[in-house]
Amino acid sequence: MKRLSVDQEKASEVRAVVVKEEAVAKKKAAETEAIKNDAQKDLDQALPALQAANKALDALDKSDISEIRVFSSPPELVATVMESICILFNTRPDWASAKQVLGDSSLMKKMFDYDKDNIPESTLKKLKKYIDNPKFLPEIVEKTSRACKSMCLWVRAIDLYAHVAKTVEPKRERLKTAESELAKVMAQLQEKQKALGDIEAKIAELQASYEKSVDEKDTLTKNIEQTQSRLKRAAKLTTGLADEQVRWAESVKRFDDEIGNVVGNVFVAAACVAYYGAFTSSYREKLMQSWVDRCKELKIPVSSDLSLINVLADPYEIRQWNECGLPRDNVSTENAVLVTRGRRWPLMIDPQEQANRWIRSMEGRNGLKVIKLTDPNYLRTLENAIRIGTPVLLEEVGEQLDPSLEPVLLKQTFVQGGRLLIRLGDSDIDYDKNFRFYMTTKLSNPHYLPEVCIKVTIINFTVTKSGLEDQLLSDVVKLEREDLEQQRNALIVDINKAKNELKRIEDTILKLLFESTGNILDDEKLIETLDASKITSAQISKRLAEAEQTELQITTAREKYRPVATRGSVMYFVVATLAEVDPMYQFSLKYFNQLFNLCIKNSPPSKDLEKRLEILLKSTTSTIYTNVARGLFEQHKLVFSFMLCADIMRQAGTISAADWNYFLRGAGGVDKERPAKPDLPWLSKAVWNTCCDMNDTLPAFKGLCKDLMTTPVHCKLGRWEVNVNPSNSGEYPVQDTPPPQPTPEGESSPLVGHWDERLSSFQKLIMVKAFREEKVVFAAVDFVAENLGQQFVESPAVTLATLYNDMSKNTPLVFILSTGSDPMSSFLRFAKEMNYSDRIHSISLGQGQGPVAEKMIDAAVKNGDWVFLQNCHLAASWMLRMENVIKGFSVSDAIIHNDFRLFLSSMPDMCFPVSVLQNSVKVTNEPPKGLKTNVKRALSEFQPSFFEEHVLGVAWRKLVFGLCFFHAVIQERKKFGPLGWNIKYEFNDSDRECALDNLKIFLEGGELPWDALTFITGEITYGGRVTDAWDQRCLRTMLRRFFSPPTLNNGYKYSPSGTYYPPEADTIQVYREYVDSLPFNDDPEIFGMHENANIAFQNQESYALVNAILSVQPRMASSGGGKTNDQIVYELAESILGKVPEKLDLDKAMQGMFEPDAKGQINSLSTVLSQEVDRFNKLLKVIKNSLQQIQKAIKGLVVMSEELEKVYTSFINNQVPRLWSNAAYPSLKPLSSWVKDLVLRLHFVEHWIEQGQPKSFWISGFFFPQGFLTGALQNHARKYNLPIDELSFKFVALPMYRNQEEVYNACQKKEEGKMDEAVVVPEDGVIVHGLFMDAMKWDDGSMEVVDALPGEMNSSLPMMHMEPRRNNTPDPKCYNSPLYKTSARAGVLSTTGHSTNFVVAVQLPSHQPQDYWIAKGAALLCQLNE
């Protein structure tokens, strides 16, 4: 160190001297440089001129020199220039010398190399006179000679340079002196610098030695510190990894198990992704369980508790999905896995748009593009997204996909020139692998063909009850206990953050461990992360434990509100099914949620939780009913309220699945073994069979058959009482049973006691349906009122003011129309009340009106007017555009006047946009029903002057009133179904107005042309709508009752009771008051019908109610008996296959049946038989094939096609499959009765084949009974050689009855001969049996038709002899009754002018006039509906 210090001092002294020397040297160098620069500056003035001269000389050649030499006497300037040249070359300045100089071949070189630095002073003096010559300038010389110009330039340049060089020379001398001195100074300086360098090198050597010693010391110190740090880190690492070891050991154990089962797990998970996306949760569970079981059978290792979520999803990712709006239920999570893991692009069935909202939220930050197939530029958007790799959401997909999407769906990419491309349309575009494609459809139950299914992954995102319940629970708690929900949400976020943090730390540790190189103890980041992990893990574990405890408390508090959420979920699914009843009944989940939440906000508060829950349940149910019911037609309001009530009770467990199934579908089955019917006069076979079915099927009705014999079985539901057996009968050993006794704990309740006490209200409703089916609608009303409340069976009051409050500038009002309704008048009245009459714009849509309507809307949006688009169903092609216009109202940047309102009206139509219906206020608009309201409305439209002031006076008023009454009656007859009209005709107010206009025209002269009036009114004005001949007859009959000469007589009554009549009055007010006094419910007598017509009407209403509910029911998993649907259908198919023959074989025909007679003609009835056999065999083939195929499909041997699916569903619902009915005869029977009827028909034909013609033909058993009748007439025509077109039947009733089922049973016992003993085969014609009477009955005493007994709907007609007669004239006293194949009566209009359902007109003896029976709608039927 000392030596280093001494040397450094010496060096410093030398360094100081060197610094001084360097300063002197620098100064000297600067001076030298200044002298050099000054000389150079002067030279720089002359050098450019010299260079220019040289350049000019360079341009000269020998020819230029020769040009000058040729002069013998040169021009002055040429001579002058050459003289100056001679002076410079030191020769005489004359032309001779000049020519010698010019003759020198090296002249140019000499000029270039001229020694310009050493020109003698004398030469310069000689040259001066030339230089001073004003003409000795290049530009002047050039005019004489170009070559001389260059020489002139050179001479002047040399002269200039010589003068400059004189000035520069002294400076050069000084420069040499200065440079010499500088060299000496620099030499001295270098010596001293070298000495300094030697000293510094020595110092550097000593310094290096010193630093080396210091470094060695520092290294030892660092090693000590590092070792200490490593010891500390080793301790931390050991402790930290010990904590991680516990978790990692568990993970390793779990991973070992998973690795062992990875083959089976991945296989099943792959199958799930490929196949089960379209199924509901229950089917998914079954599918997965079946795959797992099969894997185990095949010894493929697989986890027993396998879950798709555990195999393919990451909890962290699931939490991110949930944060983006994915519902938290398992089905939704599975769906998200399918969306993100599937190889094919997902197509999501998303009627509630939950998937849509999730995708939008999840992919929004990635630049999601949303398109529709209806967008004009959707392919361009898709192309750009594929190119740059952004996700695309295709909304509102239908059941067909655009073929242009196929390359995208199939991912038909290819590599060309190192680029990944896809062909879209006509062009190849770059394909970015980051591109993602999502598709959603709002269709709730789409039918995608296999070619679509194989291109996409279909995923069922339909909301589940449990999922919706959880969502609604969050909404309820958020509104009721906001603090609780905020705490829960914060907790969920906190737990998610904690778990995410833990996962991140674990991943970081593993990453650092993996990437760590060298000594692991030196990785401070790893050790710090591990240490932080330990602390964080402990904190998180503590927080998680606390959070789970808090969550438990919150969950307990939240669960108290679950009944409200459950009720909401049940109600939504009822509301959602209404769309299957009518396409206009569309309600979105978003709308339902808003309504549900609004109701909770507005309901009266209560601090008592139990009371508050009761308030919420009542108010939410009431609000949903009110808002939905106002948008339903009257006929569907009860369907909705009944389904609402029943589903609430089913969810609560009050209604069992078996009871519900029986109520809707009955017992089902086709070959039930039932006990023999007791021989009691009051017990019909139908009642006994029903009692047996209920006894066997429903636990609540066990013992019914036994009690039927021992005690009165009756129950009461609301106003309706059901008595299955007589209430007072001395035959009962026990008149009643004691009330139910309390059940000992642990024992099942014995089914004893009074039936009215033991049955629940729904079980009583089952009793009503079973034994008083016509009262089902009324009983259902009482059932709903009893269980939900009276308000749920009353139509909610609706005013336009109320609806207006629910509307907004972007929420339209939709009037759902029915025939004859028009909301325009009430709309105009409301507009007047709101002072808006001058600001409404209305247009009736139709062809070409769409663009006009759009302009109207555009204008109204700006100025705040109202727009009413009427009859939207008539502009189907414009509906898509209208949908886009209305959607534009909800766009964030839409500018809409706050007063703007849009009103729409439409008949129910599939073309009406679903999105508009779902996001609008809806209300139905129906014309008033009932005679009273119909006539009242007609009278309200008359001006007093029109009604009162006429030349005919009271006769005019009676005629007008009679026409109005007639119009009301023919409209209201529709409610009686086929009894009223065979075909439902849409008579409307314009028909009445037209008839009144005609009446006014014809009566202007004061005379009454009755023939013209009745013809115009009956055959043209009203008759023009009527297409059925029997309906035309009925119309004429009804017209005679209200519009004929007798109606003008004093005291004329429209009905026998005298309630309905034309008043004898002069003012319209009296008529209006009379109409107001009429009964609200129409008595059948005013229609000329029997009181049983009301029963028929009620039966029809009951059937419509049950059928509407049944049509929206999902397929049940199992029936009450515990059998699965597959088992039920398979056994039913097996049973039917066992009942019907393979085919009917004409080869077994009795000898002689098909042999020609003496004229070579085969019996016409044999021909009819062969035709019937062909028809039945075709039907049998269809039945057998479908039954065998459905059995195979149930076994999984063939695909369950859509056609087989319909057969399957029909079997479950006890309905005849459409596949069969299309190939069969007309029939309205349920499946069980239809099969039984088919067996009887086949036996009838088979017996005819084998035993010959029967004595009495079962006319109802024919496929085509008209053919049989024609065959009978043809036989008669051949026998007597008569023209067949002159033949018709005379009908003679025989005093005996025959039931085909009894015939069948007798044949089975080989006793058919006994039945035929009393039957005498007639000489001519045929005897038939099996007909039923509708709206009349046969009186065996008087052998004529009479009024049916109350409650007796269809009595049997006795056997009838149908005798062909030539030119037969029917007895006018007989009722000409139509015979129909089924009670529907309507069919396709045939070329005969009659319905295809019509068979023949039968004349039946009667003491009543024709009009009496025509008004009743009396007819004969081949078969009944049971």
Side-chain angles (χ1 to χ4, degrees):
M1 279 291 290
K2 287 180 183 179
R3 186 177 168 190
L4 181 62
S5 299
V6 172
D7 287 347
Q8 281 179 338
E9 283 177 13
K10 287 181 180 179
S12 297
E13 291 172 4
V14 175
R15 190 177 294 111
V17 174
V18 170
V19 167
K20 287 179 184 178
E21 294 289 338
E22 280 180 348
V24 172
K26 281 180 183 176
K27 184 179 178 184
K28 196 70 177 172
E31 290 172 355
T32 305
E33 187 66 27
I35 295 168
K36 181 181 178 182
N37 290 340
D38 187 31
Q40 189 63 41
K41 181 180 176 185
D42 291 338
L43 284 173
D44 287 344
Q45 291 177 6
L47 286 173
L50 186 62
Q51 288 168 357
N54 286 338
K55 189 175 181 182
L57 290 175
D58 197 34
L60 295 179
D61 54 21
K62 287 183 179 180
S63 61
D64 294 326
I65 301 297
S66 300
E67 178 192 322
I68 300 171
R69 284 182 66 195
V70 296
F71 290 118
S72 56
S73 178
E76 181 187 353
L77 286 176
V78 173
T80 302
V81 170
M82 289 311 299
E83 286 172 7
S84 66
I85 293 290
C86 289
I87 290 169
L88 284 174
F89 280 107
N90 206 17
T91 58
R92 288 182 61 166
D94 54 24
W95 180 243
S97 301
K99 286 182 81 172
Q100 287 178 0
V101 171
L102 288 171
D104 190 349
S105 61
S106 59
L107 174 63
M108 300 305 295
K109 186 174 185 306
K110 286 178 180 178
M111 289 175 79
F112 277 120
D113 297 339
Y114 191 78
D115 185 7
K116 54 187 176 293
D117 292 322
N118 298 304
I119 302 174
E121 186 65 30
S122 58
T123 303
L124 291 173
K125 283 179 180 179
K126 292 177 185 177
L127 191 62
K128 187 173 186 302
K129 74 170 185 173
Y130 295 96
I131 296 297
D132 293 341
N133 186 351
K135 293 182 181 179
F136 193 71
L137 293 172
E139 52 272 22
I140 295 173
V141 174
E142 184 182 18
K143 294 175 184 176
T144 305
S145 169
R146 188 173 65 84
C148 285
K149 175 200 171 188
S150 298
M151 291 181 177
C152 178
L153 275 172
W154 181 78
V155 171
R156 291 188 75 87
I158 291 293
D159 179 70
L160 177 62
Y161 182 83
H163 283 91
V164 171
K166 281 182 183 180
T167 308
V168 170
E169 189 58 35
K171 294 179 181 178
R172 283 179 173 171
E173 289 300 324
R174 282 169 55 205
L175 179 62
K176 284 180 184 177
T177 306
E179 284 176 347
S180 172
E181 290 173 0
L182 180 63
K184 290 177 184 177
V185 171
M186 290 304 294
Q188 293 172 1
L189 180 62
Q190 283 173 3
E191 285 178 11
K192 290 177 181 177
Q193 282 178 337
K194 183 175 180 300
L196 179 63
D198 293 341
I199 294 169
E200 284 182 342
K202 190 175 180 183
I203 290 171
E205 187 181 339
L206 290 172
Q207 184 71 35
S209 176
Y210 171 72
E211 286 177 355
K212 183 178 178 185
S213 302
V214 171
D215 286 345
E216 286 176 0
K217 178 188 172 187
D218 290 344
T219 302
L220 290 172
T221 307
K222 283 180 183 176
N223 285 343
I224 293 167
E225 290 174 355
Q226 187 182 49
T227 306
Q228 289 173 344
S229 298
R230 282 180 177 176
L231 285 170
K232 288 178 184 177
R233 288 174 193 155
K236 287 181 180 180
L237 185 65
T238 307
T239 311
L241 287 177
D243 291 341
E244 293 295 318
Q245 183 186 6
V246 177
R247 190 163 74 250
W248 289 356
E250 291 172 0
S251 298
V252 167
K253 186 176 182 303
R254 188 174 71 252
F255 291 153
D256 284 341
D257 294 339
E258 288 178 2
I259 288 168
N261 296 325
V262 72
V263 175
N265 290 357
V266 171
F267 170 72
V268 174
C272 291
V273 172
Y275 297 113
Y276 90 172
F279 298 105
T280 57
S281 57
S282 56
Y283 279 106
R284 289 181 180 185
E285 288 169 11
K286 287 180 183 176
L287 269 176
M288 181 173 278
Q289 193 55 50
S290 65
W291 290 335
V292 169
D293 293 343
R294 186 64 177 146
C295 283
K296 288 178 178 177
E297 286 174 24
L298 297 171
K299 308 296 183 189
I300 298 173
V302 66
S303 301
S304 299
D305 58 344
L306 179 62
S307 160
L308 177 68
I309 296 170
N310 292 340
V311 175
L312 291 181
D314 174 43
Y316 174 71
E317 190 176 23
I318 292 171
R319 287 192 290 275
Q320 288 183 320
W321 291 339
N322 292 337
E323 287 169 10
C324 288
L326 181 75
R328 296 176 185 274
D329 57 290
N330 278 345
V331 174
S332 298
T333 306
E334 285 179 356
N335 288 340
V337 171
L338 299 178
V339 169
T340 54
R341 304 292 188 268
R343 186 181 61 81
R344 293 172 296 201
W345 297 126
L347 169 52
M348 292 161 272
I349 300 168
D350 186 32
Q352 291 84 25
E353 298 190 68
Q354 295 198 123
N356 192 294
R357 288 192 288 273
W358 169 58
I359 295 293
R360 281 171 178 262
S361 175
M362 180 177 69
E363 294 287 11
R365 58 180 175 271
N366 298 325
L368 177 73
K369 304 294 180 188
V370 181
I371 59 173
K372 297 187 185 77
L373 289 175
T374 53
D375 293 346
N377 295 320
Y378 83 91
L379 271 178
R380 178 66 54 82
T381 306
L382 183 62
E383 182 180 318
N384 292 336
I386 292 172
R387 189 178 282 115
I388 62 177
T390 54
V392 172
L393 171 60
L394 174 60
E395 295 182 318
E396 298 181 25
V397 173
E399 292 188 350
Q400 304 289 332
L401 290 175
D402 193 325
S404 61
L405 294 175
E406 187 160 314
V408 180
L409 298 178
L410 298 178
K411 299 184 181 178
Q412 293 175 339
T413 58
F414 57 93
V415 177
Q416 190 176 76
R419 294 162 58 201
L420 185 64
L421 302 174
I422 189 169
R423 187 165 189 80
L424 194 63
D426 297 330
S427 57
D428 295 338
I429 60 170
D430 289 298
Y431 187 91
D432 191 307
K433 289 186 178 180
N434 292 318
F435 167 72
R436 290 181 298 284
F437 191 44
Y438 305 95
M439 293 164 281
T440 63
T441 177
K442 285 186 180 178
L443 301 174
S444 57
N445 189 24
H447 294 279
Y448 288 110
L449 296 175
E451 53 262 34
V452 174
C453 296
I454 61 172
K455 295 173 188 172
V456 298
T457 301
I458 293 178
I459 302 169
N460 189 352
F461 248 101
T462 306
V463 68
T464 60
K465 278 193 177 180
S466 61
L468 180 58
E469 193 175 306
D470 287 341
Q471 292 173 43
L472 292 178
L473 181 60
S474 293
D475 291 343
V476 174
V477 178
K478 190 184 296 179
L479 294 167
E480 289 293 297
R481 291 285 306 276
E482 191 173 0
D483 59 320
L484 208 63
E485 194 62 14
Q486 283 176 350
Q487 190 180 352
R488 176 177 175 272
N489 289 338
L491 195 64
I492 289 170
V493 171
D494 196 36
I495 290 172
N496 281 350
K497 279 183 180 175
K499 287 182 176 177
N500 292 347
E501 180 66 15
L502 202 60
K503 177 77 168 57
R504 188 189 64 75
I505 290 171
E506 184 177 310
D507 290 345
T508 305
I509 291 168
L510 292 172
K511 181 173 180 288
L512 290 172
L513 283 171
F514 177 75
E515 292 175 351
S516 179
T517 56
N519 193 327
I520 195 171
L521 296 176
D522 293 336
D523 195 336
E524 192 170 350
K525 185 180 178 184
L526 170 62
I527 304 301
E528 285 174 359
T529 306
L530 197 58
D531 194 38
S533 165
K534 179 187 173 184
I535 297 166
T536 309
S537 180
Q539 290 173 346
I540 288 171
S541 298
K542 186 180 176 183
R543 270 158 55 198
L544 284 176
E546 291 171 357
E548 284 168 8
Q549 188 63 33
T550 311
E551 188 176 26
L552 190 63
Q553 294 169 359
I554 292 172
T555 303
T556 305
R558 289 176 87 250
E559 283 302 309
K560 292 175 182 176
Y561 291 93
R562 188 166 286 279
V564 181
T566 304
R567 174 68 59 88
S569 178
V570 168
M571 288 192 294
Y572 172 73
F573 278 92
V574 173
V575 171
T577 56
L578 291 174
E580 297 176 46
V581 176
D582 191 292
M584 303 299 276
Y585 300 161
Q586 301 282 351
F587 300 88
S588 67
L589 179 58
K590 181 181 173 185
Y591 170 80
F592 179 86
N593 281 340
Q594 289 171 348
L595 199 58
F596 187 77
N597 294 344
L598 188 66
C599 172
I600 291 171
K601 281 182 187 175
N602 297 338
S603 58
S606 174
K607 292 183 179 178
D608 183 349
L609 181 60
E610 291 299 321
K611 191 175 179 183
R612 177 62 179 158
L613 289 176
E614 189 178 337
I615 289 170
L616 289 177
L617 287 171
K618 284 183 178 177
S619 62
T620 51
T621 311
S622 172
T623 302
I624 295 297
Y625 172 75
T626 303
N627 281 272
V628 172
R630 71 188 182 191
L632 309 181
F633 290 120
E634 284 297 327
Q635 61 179 331
H636 295 140
K637 284 176 183 173
L638 180 59
V639 173
F640 172 51
S641 57
F642 181 77
M643 285 170 61
L644 193 62
C645 179
D647 275 29
I648 289 170
M649 294 176 72
R650 286 170 66 197
Q651 190 277 329
T654 315
I655 298 176
S656 69
D659 287 350
W660 181 248
N661 191 38
Y662 187 89
F663 174 77
L664 293 179
R665 299 175 172 88
V670 292
D671 56 349
K672 293 203 168 192
E673 294 292 331
R674 301 183 179 98
K677 181 182 86 68
D679 190 15
L680 294 170
W682 49 265
L683 183 61
S684 69
K685 187 171 183 182
V687 170
W688 174 250
N689 287 348
T690 302
C691 288
C692 291
D693 290 343
M694 292 170 72
N695 183 84
D696 296 342
T697 308
L698 305 175
F701 291 93
K702 290 289 181 189
L704 179 62
C705 293
K706 182 181 177 184
D707 283 7
L708 202 63
M709 304 295 104
T710 58
T711 183
V713 177
H714 67 89
C715 66
K716 188 174 183 183
L717 177 61
R719 299 162 291 168
W720 309 101
E721 189 168 353
V722 179
N723 293 293
V724 184
N725 55 8
S727 54
N728 297 310
S729 176
E731 297 178 19
Y732 298 147
V734 180
Q735 289 300 319
D736 208 342
T737 53
Q741 299 299 314
T743 307
E745 199 170 328
E747 294 183 19
S748 60
S749 173
L751 294 175
V752 296
H754 199 287
W755 284 92
D756 192 41
E757 294 176 18
R758 70 193 278 187
L759 296 179
S760 68
S761 59
F762 187 74
Q763 288 161 350
K764 290 176 183 178
L765 187 61
I766 292 174
M767 289 278 278
V768 173
K769 183 171 184 288
F771 303 110
R772 293 193 68 185
E773 190 169 8
E774 74 278 4
K775 300 300 180 189
V776 165
V777 170
F778 302 105
V781 168
D782 290 349
F783 168 76
V784 174
E786 181 181 308
N787 290 284
L788 269 190
Q790 185 64 31
Q791 73 177 93
F792 292 92
V793 291
E794 297 171 351
S795 294
V798 181
T799 63
L800 271 174
T802 309
L803 297 168
Y804 182 79
N805 291 334
D806 292 342
M807 294 173 69
S808 69
K809 61 183 181 182
N810 47 24
T811 304
L813 170 63
V814 179
F815 292 99
I816 305 173
L817 307 176
S818 60
T819 305
S821 67
D822 185 5
M824 193 63 192
S825 56
S826 57
F827 171 73
L828 292 173
R829 279 196 303 274
F830 176 68
K832 189 175 180 182
E833 291 168 13
M834 298 289 288
N835 296 321
Y836 243 81
S837 298
D838 299 332
R839 296 181 62 187
I840 57 175
H841 306 278
S842 173
I843 185 171
S844 182
L845 292 179
Q847 189 171 8
Q849 295 299 306
V852 179
E854 191 170 347
K855 287 179 184 175
M856 201 178 279
I857 291 171
D858 289 342
V861 161
K862 294 171 186 171
N863 56 34
D865 290 351
W866 293 358
V867 175
F868 190 176
L869 306 184
Q870 301 179 74
N871 302 318
C872 293
H873 58 284
L874 299 179
S877 61
W878 188 69
M879 285 299 96
L880 182 61
R881 179 62 196 146
M882 185 185 81
E883 179 181 17
N884 292 332
V885 168
I886 294 174
K887 277 185 178 178
F889 296 165
S890 302
V891 177
S892 57
D893 57 352
I895 301 172
I896 304 174
H897 197 288
N898 286 332
D899 294 335
F900 169 73
R901 294 293 183 274
L902 178 63
F903 301 81
L904 310 168
S905 72
S906 175
M907 294 287 283
D909 199 303
M910 293 297 289
C911 74
F912 199 92
V914 172
S915 65
V916 175
L917 287 169
Q918 287 184 339
N919 299 292
S920 63
V921 179
K922 292 177 286 297
V923 64
T924 49
N925 190 267
E926 297 179 85
K929 292 184 178 179
L931 279 176
K932 179 177 177 177
T933 52
N934 203 312
V935 177
K936 187 175 179 179
R937 187 172 84 253
L939 291 178
S940 69
E941 294 175 5
F942 294 152
Q943 294 295 327
S945 57
F946 169 80
F947 191 77
E948 297 168 3
E949 299 169 9
H950 196 276
V951 66
L952 289 176
V954 71
W956 163 257
R957 288 185 282 281
K958 284 186 176 182
L959 286 170
V960 171
F961 187 73
L963 263 180
C964 292
F965 228 99
F966 164 72
H967 178 82
V969 165
I970 63 172
Q971 273 198 317
E972 294 303 315
R973 271 183 78 94
K974 287 189 292 187
K975 73 178 185 180
F976 297 107
L979 279 177
W981 301 107
N982 289 354
I983 299 168
K984 284 189 176 182
Y985 303 104
E986 298 298 341
F987 300 112
N988 57 42
D989 290 354
S990 63
D991 296 327
R992 183 188 67 232
E993 290 163 8
C994 183
L996 289 170
D997 288 344
N998 287 332
L999 182 66
K1000 184 179 179 182
I1001 292 168
F1002 276 92
L1003 299 187
E1004 281 178 349
E1007 295 182 3
L1008 274 167
W1010 277 111
D1011 290 344
L1013 282 172
T1014 52
F1015 183 83
I1016 289 288
T1017 307
E1019 303 295 333
I1020 297 174
T1021 305
Y1022 286 96
R1025 289 189 182 274
V1026 179
T1027 55
D1028 185 275
W1030 300 99
D1031 283 341
Q1032 186 68 57
R1033 181 180 75 159
C1034 179
L1035 183 75
R1036 289 193 292 267
T1037 298
M1038 297 311 296
L1039 185 63
R1040 281 194 291 273
R1041 173 179 283 199
F1042 299 97
F1043 192 72
S1044 61
T1047 62
L1048 303 182
N1049 297 336
N1050 289 338
Y1052 180 82
K1053 308 292 183 187
Y1054 292 146
S1055 66
S1057 68
T1059 305
Y1060 302 93
Y1061 59 87
E1064 304 277 344
D1066 296 327
T1067 64
I1068 193 170
Q1069 187 58 34
V1070 176
Y1071 280 84
R1072 287 172 178 168
E1073 289 170 359
Y1074 163 69
V1075 172
D1076 285 338
S1077 70
L1078 292 176
F1080 187 77
N1081 293 320
D1082 307 326
D1083 197 285
E1085 66 156 8
I1086 185 60
F1087 303 100
M1089 306 184 98
H1090 192 274
E1091 61 183 283
N1092 285 350
N1094 261 347
I1095 298 176
F1097 166 61
Q1098 291 162 6
N1099 271 330
Q1100 182 182 312
E1101 293 285 286
S1102 298
Y1103 174 78
L1105 172 69
V1106 174
N1107 207 44
I1109 297 168
L1110 185 60
S1111 68
V1112 300
Q1113 294 302 304
R1115 188 190 294 167
M1116 297 182 67
S1118 65
S1119 69
K1123 291 181 180 178
T1124 65
N1125 280 348
D1126 284 356
Q1127 289 173 326
I1128 294 168
V1129 173
Y1130 192 92
E1131 289 174 9
L1132 194 55
E1134 193 68 32
S1135 169
I1136 297 171
L1137 281 170
K1139 287 179 175 298
V1140 296
E1142 191 66 34
K1143 68 171 188 172
L1144 296 173
D1145 192 357
L1146 280 175
D1147 293 340
K1148 296 179 182 178
M1150 190 176 176
Q1151 191 175 1
M1153 189 181 295
F1154 289 94
E1155 291 180 2
D1157 58 12
K1159 296 179 181 178
Q1161 296 170 329
I1162 297 173
N1163 189 318
S1164 294
L1165 292 183
S1166 296
T1167 305
V1168 170
L1169 174 64
S1170 65
Q1171 292 169 347
E1172 288 291 311
V1173 167
D1174 287 343
R1175 294 188 185 103
F1176 275 111
N1177 281 340
K1178 285 178 184 175
L1179 173 60
L1180 284 172
K1181 186 176 179 181
V1182 170
I1183 291 173
K1184 290 267 183 183
N1185 182 57
S1186 61
L1187 289 174
Q1188 289 163 357
Q1189 287 299 308
I1190 205 163
Q1191 285 186 320
K1192 289 178 181 177
I1194 290 170
K1195 287 180 177 179
L1197 302 175
V1198 297
V1199 174
M1200 179 75 81
S1201 65
E1202 188 176 350
E1203 195 173 66
L1204 289 178
E1205 181 81 18
K1206 289 176 181 176
V1207 174
Y1208 186 105
T1209 305
S1210 298
F1211 277 18
I1212 294 296
N1213 293 338
N1214 194 24
Q1215 296 170 338
V1216 180
R1218 187 176 293 276
L1219 179 67
W1220 294 5
S1221 58
N1222 288 342
Y1225 40 84
S1227 178
L1228 301 177
K1229 293 179 181 289
L1231 180 63
S1232 50
S1233 302
W1234 189 88
V1235 172
K1236 187 177 179 181
D1237 178 65
L1238 175 64
V1239 171
L1240 294 179
R1241 289 172 185 256
L1242 293 170
H1243 174 265
F1244 166 66
V1245 175
E1246 196 168 36
H1247 189 268
W1248 185 355
I1249 293 171
E1250 296 176 2
Q1251 305 297 328
Q1253 287 187 14
K1255 286 188 174 182
S1256 176
F1257 292 89
W1258 183 33
I1259 192 170
S1260 307
F1262 287 97
F1263 230 102
F1264 190 59
Q1266 296 96 316
F1268 163 71
L1269 298 178
T1270 304
L1273 290 175
Q1274 196 171 46
N1275 272 349
H1276 188 82
R1278 288 174 177 176
K1279 181 178 179 181
Y1280 295 103
N1281 201 23
L1282 298 172
I1284 191 171
D1285 56 348
E1286 293 181 7
L1287 296 178
S1288 59
F1289 287 109
K1290 176 178 168 47
F1291 302 90
V1292 180
L1294 305 177
M1296 60 184 77
Y1297 292 83
R1298 175 168 288 193
N1299 183 315
Q1300 189 60 27
E1301 190 173 354
E1302 293 172 359
V1303 175
Y1304 174 78
N1305 291 333
C1307 289
Q1308 298 301 104
K1309 297 174 184 176
K1310 307 295 184 185
E1311 296 175 356
E1312 66 269 25
K1314 293 180 182 178
M1315 294 188 73
D1316 286 343
E1317 285 175 359
V1319 180
V1320 178
V1321 178
E1323 180 67 25
D1324 295 321
V1326 290
I1327 295 174
V1328 297
H1329 66 272
L1331 299 180
F1332 300 91
M1333 310 184 77
D1334 201 8
M1336 56 184 174
K1337 75 180 290 290
W1338 185 261
D1339 182 51
D1340 292 329
S1342 61
M1343 293 298 283
E1344 63 180 7
V1345 290
V1346 294
D1347 276 327
L1349 297 175
E1352 185 181 24
M1353 301 304 295
N1354 301 106
S1355 59
S1356 295
L1357 184 72
M1359 295 168 67
M1360 184 169 283
H1361 175 206
M1362 301 176 71
E1363 182 184 359
R1365 294 280 184 93
R1366 186 177 187 182
N1367 298 324
N1368 178 49
T1369 304
D1371 187 344
K1373 292 181 181 179
C1374 289
Y1375 169 52
N1376 194 31
S1377 170
L1379 168 62
Y1380 296 103
K1381 296 175 186 176
T1382 68
S1383 62
R1385 302 194 185 187
V1388 180
L1389 193 65
S1390 66
T1391 52
T1392 61
H1394 293 288
S1395 159
T1396 50
N1397 207 323
F1398 171 75
V1399 180
V1400 70
V1402 179
Q1403 286 75 46
L1404 300 173
S1406 168
H1407 66 277
Q1408 296 284 6
Q1410 288 269 355
D1411 284 359
Y1412 181 83
W1413 299 110
I1414 292 170
K1416 289 185 184 298
L1420 296 176
L1421 305 175
C1422 286
Q1423 58 172 303
L1424 303 181
N1425 298 353
E1426 295 89 10

